[in-house]
Amino acid sequence: MPSAPYLTMAAYAAGLVATLVLAAWLTPARWWRRPNLRAASILVAGTWGLGALLLSLLPAALPALAAAPPSHAGISYTVYDDLNLRADKGIGAPRIAVAPAGTVVTTTGLRDGDWWQVSARIDGKIVRGWSSSLWLRRAEEARR
């Protein structure tokens, strides 16, 4: 899914294109023969107004885009050294469990850079926490 800055730029770019088309169609041609304050103000106001309108309509379409599961969810990894599972992203977050080397963890789909949320069976119970992806190897890589 595209991030918010790209959606914002796309909405205002579409607003500029729509403004240019509408200005060419609805205003006298003599207004555009020479750059002037009136032409600039029409372009700025139209781009801002139509871009803002498109952005206000965009949140209604975003839930459909967000409903698709992330492509990295459900992938299994093998821990190659004892792995700290943390309550949140970062080494300063409290440790909630330690997954011993050889434990298979599965991604939940949430991640922030190198920090991934994973779930693992530790001491007979499922634990969900955050870990650095640098400590993980794909399950099929670990068997080689």
Side-chain angles (χ1 to χ4, degrees):
M1 183 169 111
S3 66
Y6 292 118
L7 291 174
T8 301
M9 287 190 312
Y12 283 107
L16 175 62
V17 170
T19 300
L20 289 171
V21 169
L22 289 172
W25 188 46
L26 298 174
T27 59
R30 62 184 159 77
W31 283 14
W32 302 97
R33 289 194 183 114
R34 209 174 63 226
N36 58 37
L37 186 59
R38 180 180 9 198
S41 63
I42 288 172
L43 287 179
V44 169
T47 300
W48 176 77
L50 292 174
L53 176 67
L54 289 172
L55 278 177
S56 69
L57 298 175
L58 204 56
L62 288 179
L65 294 174
S71 61
H72 58 275
I75 299 173
S76 295
Y77 293 89
T78 301
V79 175
Y80 77 90
D81 200 359
D82 289 353
L83 177 70
N84 292 325
L85 296 182
R86 299 190 178 272
D88 202 3
K89 303 167 279 281
I91 58 172
R95 182 174 54 197
I96 56 175
V98 176
T103 303
V104 175
V105 298
T106 305
T107 57
T108 64
L110 297 177
R111 70 178 179 184
D112 185 7
D114 285 338
W115 289 92
W116 296 2
Q117 188 181 52
V118 297
S119 63
R121 182 174 297 278
I122 301 173
D123 295 330
K125 63 180 182 172
I126 300 294
V127 178
R128 182 175 284 189
W130 289 88
S131 71
S132 172
S133 62
L134 302 175
W135 293 96
L136 304 174
R137 298 285 181 262
R138 286 202 174 197
E140 59 271 10
E141 291 175 350
R143 292 187 194 113
R144 292 181 186 172

